[in-house]
Amino acid sequence: MLQQLYIRNFTLIEELDIAFNRGFSVITGETGAGKSIILGAIGLLLGSRADAKQIKMGADKCIIEAHFDLSQYDLQSLFDENDIDYDVHDCIIRREVNSNGKSRAFVNDTPVGLNILRELGVNLVDIHSQHQNLLLQKEDFQLGVLDVIAADRKLKEEYQLSFKAYKKVEKQLQQLHEEIEKTKENEDFLRFQVNEIEQAHLEEGMQEELEQESETMAHAEEIKSGLYFADNLLNGDEAGLVQQLKQVSQSLQSIEKVYPKVKELCDRMNSTYIELKDISEGISGSIDGIDFDPIRQEEINDKLDTLYSLQQKFHVSTVKELLDTLMNFKQQLHNIEYGEEELSVLEKEIGRLQSHAENLAGRLTISRKEAGMQVEREMHNRLIPLGMPNIRFKVELLGKSLSEDGADKVQFLFSANKSTALQPVAKVASGGEISRVMLSLKAMISNAVKLPTIIFDEIDTGVSGWVAEQMAQIMYEMGESGRQVICITHLPQIAAMGTTHYRVSKRETQQGTTSHMVSLSQKERILEIAQMLSGNDISDAAIENAKSLLRIRI
């Protein structure tokens, strides 16, 4: 429920801070006074597009903030999923628009994106304006009405999961068909490419080994010269380092008995001698392994040329990527050889999933047919008191191919006269008739589910007098049944039925035009409704008439 609305520097509103009550509230005011501005501000809170032109002239930014009571709605999971603090009795939504056109949104002081704002807004406020009457042209809206009345949410969710699984496997089958057809055309070329790569006898790491061996062979003389020089320093005649270290070690060992302190040095020298001797042997062994072999060099170059050529051909840079390419080609050949078996498996799975989805869709159709009969009865009963004594309203349910919302195509058919054939409601109903149809639908839906705060804007288009009173009675009853209903109206019959009455007016100041909104007292309501009845020159008769209208609710 909307509890409080605060607006600052939004179009003609300098500052507005007003509380809203439960039940049925009405908003009145002259054309252009700013009623649509209030709706625009609430729309921003629900995630509509921001525009710097909405900021009041001379201000740097505008702020719209609203407090909601969430106790009637199960919304905690939405807050938890988006890591937003949850206060069931006071949810604060704020939107700020800066002069550069950029905006920020907050829910309970947590910054949020417009997608979250819109998702939350759908659950909090339903604004019914004239453009929403166009929903009667949309099949998904009409189908949604049936599903609400049928209360088949769980069944519909189960169907949608089944349908998605069916379409997923169907897509896999189509892709496999396309792959098989494509690879069949290129089968010979694929086999040639597989053979070409396999002949290279690829192994991971071979490229690095071959390149290193090629580098070593290219510098064989230089390497061998360096090894010979090192070996000569270590082992050359009796002056070699290895022999000298051996002599040092033996010298220290000879005095160890008479000079025990030298034992540690002797051990360290002996370890150094052993290590150096091992290094020396390693160098000597390496010398034997370094030789320039022109035949081996040519063999290495051939292998590397083959590698580089394959990498260039298949647009890769490593042996691993070439092996991956080979596996891909082999998989395509496998699909050709064994594809028919896989196609058969997928086709059987599709048949099973399709059968399951069709079964669930059939159950949906049954529930929708039952809901359709209920809608026909209720709409008939609701529209007759709204000035349509000859109303005929039919829910036409036709079959269609399986889709995300089932296998049903729905149309609301309408005729206000006995002699007029039933036609789609959006094509034949007048503006006033459509307003009454939509109000009746909303009232019917509100009895089936917990609708959020409902705001009716010009729902009274094309009606007056006794019909307006009946429409007001419907909205009043919706409000009395625990819902918050707010109606922007120009009709005194509707205004008189509100449990709370707000008036929007504009004033001319030196700074420009400003718009204001106030809650009216009982005396102020009488004058406001009298003015709606007779214009600016309020007569005694108009005042008595206003009092009479207000007693309708008492």
Side-chain angles (χ1 to χ4, degrees):
M1 184 189 88
L2 176 61
Q3 296 176 305
Q4 194 84 15
L5 179 65
Y6 176 78
I7 304 172
R8 190 175 76 195
N9 294 330
F10 181 73
T11 62
L12 298 180
I13 298 176
E14 185 173 339
E15 187 169 44
L16 172 67
D17 191 1
I18 195 158
F20 287 88
N21 301 318
R22 292 184 181 277
F24 178 40
S25 300
V26 294
I27 300 175
T28 60
E30 295 180 1
T31 301
K35 298 184 295 297
S36 60
I37 296 174
I38 307 294
L39 282 183
I42 294 175
L44 271 182
L45 286 178
L46 305 182
S48 63
R49 185 177 179 181
D51 190 334
K53 294 178 182 178
Q54 295 169 316
I55 301 173
K56 185 172 173 53
M57 188 175 296
D60 294 328
K61 68 177 181 179
C62 69
I63 298 173
I64 298 97
E65 181 176 289
H67 294 245
F68 288 90
D69 182 342
L70 308 181
S71 56
Q72 292 186 14
Y73 316 109
D74 184 17
L75 295 176
Q76 183 159 0
S77 59
L78 175 60
F79 284 74
D80 292 342
E81 288 168 9
N82 294 286
D83 197 24
I84 301 171
D85 291 338
Y86 181 68
D87 186 337
V88 68
H89 297 297
D90 189 20
C91 172
I92 304 172
I93 302 178
R94 186 169 78 254
R95 185 93 181 268
E96 300 177 359
V97 182
N98 295 315
S99 56
N100 58 9
K102 293 183 179 180
S103 73
R104 299 188 300 165
F106 304 86
V107 176
N108 293 335
D109 289 328
T110 299
V112 298
L114 290 186
N115 59 323
I116 297 175
L117 208 59
R118 293 185 185 113
E119 185 177 1
L120 182 58
V122 166
N123 289 282
L124 295 179
V125 181
D126 175 18
I127 298 179
H128 180 95
S129 56
Q130 274 194 310
H131 80 272
Q132 211 184 27
N133 290 335
L134 298 175
L135 289 173
L136 283 174
Q137 300 176 4
K138 297 183 179 295
E139 182 187 334
D140 57 349
F141 171 75
Q142 298 178 34
L143 197 60
V145 170
L146 289 190
D147 285 333
V148 167
I149 301 303
D152 57 8
R153 182 175 61 85
K154 289 185 178 179
L155 176 59
K156 189 173 181 180
E157 288 175 354
E158 185 182 356
Y159 165 77
Q160 288 174 333
L161 288 174
S162 175
F163 177 75
K164 285 179 182 178
Y166 159 61
K167 297 304 287 186
K168 180 180 179 181
V169 177
E170 188 179 59
K171 185 177 180 180
Q172 290 175 352
L173 178 66
Q174 181 182 352
Q175 289 175 338
L176 183 57
H177 262 301
E178 292 173 354
E179 288 173 8
I180 290 173
E181 291 302 315
K182 185 177 179 181
T183 51
K184 275 184 178 179
E185 296 174 2
N186 301 318
E187 183 176 359
D188 291 339
F189 184 55
L190 275 173
R191 294 191 184 281
F192 169 77
Q193 290 178 309
V194 166
N195 184 59
E196 185 179 24
I197 297 175
E198 286 184 334
Q199 284 182 343
H201 304 290
L202 301 178
E203 295 178 10
E204 283 195 47
M206 68 178 293
Q207 181 174 345
E208 291 78 7
E209 292 178 5
L210 288 171
E211 288 173 342
Q212 181 57 59
E213 188 177 355
S214 176
E215 183 75 8
T216 299
M217 197 168 290
H219 298 85
E221 290 302 321
E222 180 183 345
I223 295 169
K224 203 160 192 175
S225 175
L227 292 173
Y228 269 127
F229 181 74
D231 183 60
N232 187 53
L233 288 176
L234 292 171
N235 296 302
D237 301 326
E238 294 183 359
L241 289 175
V242 174
Q243 185 60 32
Q244 290 184 35
L245 281 178
K246 184 177 180 182
Q247 292 173 359
V248 172
S249 181
Q250 289 173 343
S251 175
L252 292 174
Q253 285 177 0
S254 66
I255 63 172
E256 187 177 336
K257 289 183 180 180
V258 296
Y259 187 55
K261 288 184 178 182
V262 85
K263 183 179 186 312
E264 182 186 351
L265 295 173
C266 183
D267 291 342
R268 290 169 61 191
M269 181 57 69
N270 191 45
S271 296
T272 302
Y273 163 70
I274 293 171
E275 177 67 17
L276 193 60
K277 184 180 179 183
D278 186 61
I279 293 171
S280 172
E281 291 172 355
I283 291 174
S284 298
S286 297
I287 292 173
D288 296 334
I290 301 299
D291 277 311
F292 176 73
D293 183 349
I295 296 176
R296 176 60 181 162
Q297 180 72 54
E298 184 176 358
E299 182 182 336
I300 292 171
N301 288 340
D302 288 344
K303 286 186 176 181
L304 287 173
D305 286 345
T306 299
L307 277 177
Y308 296 150
S309 176
L310 288 172
Q311 288 170 355
Q312 184 176 13
K313 178 176 181 178
F314 296 108
H315 307 290
V316 297
S317 57
T318 67
V319 172
K320 183 182 183 306
E321 289 174 318
L322 278 174
L323 290 170
D324 291 341
T325 302
L326 176 62
M327 287 300 297
N328 180 42
F329 291 156
K330 286 184 173 181
Q331 182 61 48
Q332 292 182 52
L333 290 173
H334 173 84
N335 289 343
I336 294 174
E337 294 173 11
Y338 301 98
E340 295 302 324
E341 295 179 17
E342 293 183 28
L343 286 174
S344 178
V345 171
L346 285 176
E347 284 169 353
K348 288 179 181 178
E349 178 66 4
I350 284 175
R352 185 186 69 81
L353 291 172
Q354 183 177 0
S355 177
H356 182 58
E358 287 173 346
N359 178 266
L360 292 173
R363 290 167 57 189
L364 268 178
T365 298
I366 292 172
S367 71
R368 287 166 173 170
K369 283 182 178 178
E370 293 174 354
M373 290 186 287
Q374 182 181 341
V375 169
E376 289 174 358
R377 288 193 301 270
E378 287 205 31
M379 290 299 288
H380 185 268
N381 293 336
R382 289 179 181 278
L383 289 171
I384 286 178
L386 292 179
M388 299 184 189
N390 299 315
I391 179 67
R392 284 181 292 155
F393 192 94
K394 181 175 178 57
V395 177
E396 184 180 65
L397 205 61
L398 304 173
K400 66 176 183 180
S401 301
L402 288 181
S403 64
E404 192 170 349
D405 56 16
D408 303 307
K409 185 175 183 179
V410 67
Q411 266 200 121
F412 288 171
L413 302 179
F414 172 89
S415 174
N417 305 300
K418 291 180 179 179
S419 59
T420 305
L422 285 165
Q423 295 288 333
V425 61
K427 292 184 178 180
V428 297
S430 66
E433 289 169 342
I434 285 181
S435 293
R436 283 173 272 179
V437 168
M438 285 300 291
L439 176 60
S440 298
L441 285 173
K442 295 270 183 176
M444 181 176 59
I445 292 171
S446 70
N447 286 331
V449 294
K450 290 182 178 178
L451 281 179
T453 294
I454 307 173
I455 301 176
F456 290 109
D457 181 25
E458 297 185 6
I459 192 70
D460 52 18
T461 298
V463 299
S464 60
W466 179 76
V467 172
E469 291 178 10
Q470 295 301 308
M471 293 179 70
Q473 185 66 35
I474 291 174
M475 288 184 278
Y476 173 74
E477 290 172 357
M478 290 171 68
E480 286 298 292
S481 60
R483 294 162 185 83
Q484 184 183 44
V485 180
I486 301 170
C487 180
I488 297 173
T489 183
H490 295 285
L491 296 180
Q493 294 90 343
I494 292 178
M497 289 293 290
T499 52
T500 307
H501 190 154
Y502 303 92
R503 181 180 61 208
V504 178
S505 60
K506 62 181 179 180
R507 302 173 191 166
E508 297 294 337
T509 67
Q510 291 182 347
Q511 289 74 34
T513 304
T514 58
S515 186
H516 303 268
M517 178 174 171
V518 295
S519 177
L520 299 182
S521 67
Q522 188 70 2
K523 289 183 179 180
E524 290 171 329
R525 290 192 71 183
I526 293 171
L527 291 175
E528 175 71 6
I529 293 172
Q531 187 176 39
M532 295 173 73
L533 287 164
S534 64
N536 291 330
D537 295 329
I538 301 175
S539 64
D540 291 339
I543 290 177
E544 289 304 315
N545 196 359
K547 289 179 180 179
S548 177
L549 285 174
L550 284 167
R551 279 196 294 271
I552 292 174
R553 186 179 55 81
I554 297 172

